[in-house]
Amino acid sequence: QVTLVESGGGSVQAGGSLRLSCAASGYINSIRCMGWFRQAPGREREGVAGIYIRDGTTYAAASVKGRFTISQDNAKNTVYLQMNSLKPEDTAMYYCAAKGNFLSWDSTLNYNSWGQGTQVTVSS
């Protein structure tokens, strides 16, 4: 069992930055991949970025490449999502997730543990 807690959301103007944090606890050694997902009103939950924690390989959705960066701090058992050049279309509830395999970072079906979410709102 892994417990995830997100933080760092808020309201910013377009072009601004936020850094989201996801703190993991519980059976941390079972985690192989962590990802950030988001869900806006009227839209399906979509993958934003993922990281395979053993080798540090990262992935990002086309819509956020060059603007968002996922990273990890093993000492703090925490994964971050640095969001720069934010756009109004980035507005969504952002969720952190973890899984015990290396398959398909961007599929919600592969993840066993989810945080409660943190809201990001970007205004023009």
Side-chain angles (χ1 to χ4, degrees):
Q1 183 71 29
V2 174
T3 299
L4 305 174
V5 180
E6 303 100 330
S7 62
S11 298
V12 298
Q13 294 183 343
S17 298
L18 285 173
R19 189 180 75 161
L20 306 184
S21 298
C22 176
S25 61
Y27 299 114
I28 298 172
N29 62 342
S30 68
I31 300 174
R32 298 292 178 269
C33 179
M34 296 186 68
W36 286 97
F37 294 77
R38 67 186 181 187
Q39 187 166 24
R43 299 182 62 183
E44 295 183 358
R45 188 170 298 187
E46 63 178 351
V48 176
I51 183 167
Y52 289 90
I53 65 172
R54 290 298 184 90
D55 63 7
T57 302
T58 61
Y59 299 87
S63 60
V64 305
K65 285 183 178 178
R67 299 189 298 119
F68 292 10
T69 302
I70 188 171
S71 62
Q72 63 181 334
D73 185 337
N74 291 331
K76 296 182 178 180
N77 297 320
T78 299
V79 170
Y80 303 96
L81 184 68
Q82 179 67 46
M83 304 185 294
N84 298 324
S85 301
L86 283 161
K87 304 176 180 179
E89 51 262 45
D90 295 318
T91 296
M93 183 72 74
Y94 283 71
Y95 299 90
C96 178
K99 64 178 181 177
N101 61 62
F102 299 94
L103 304 175
S104 303
W105 75 266
D106 58 347
S107 174
T108 60
L109 298 177
N110 291 297
Y111 288 86
N112 305 114
S113 302
W114 292 84
Q116 293 299 305
T118 184
Q119 179 68 38
V120 171
T121 302
V122 185
S123 61
S124 299

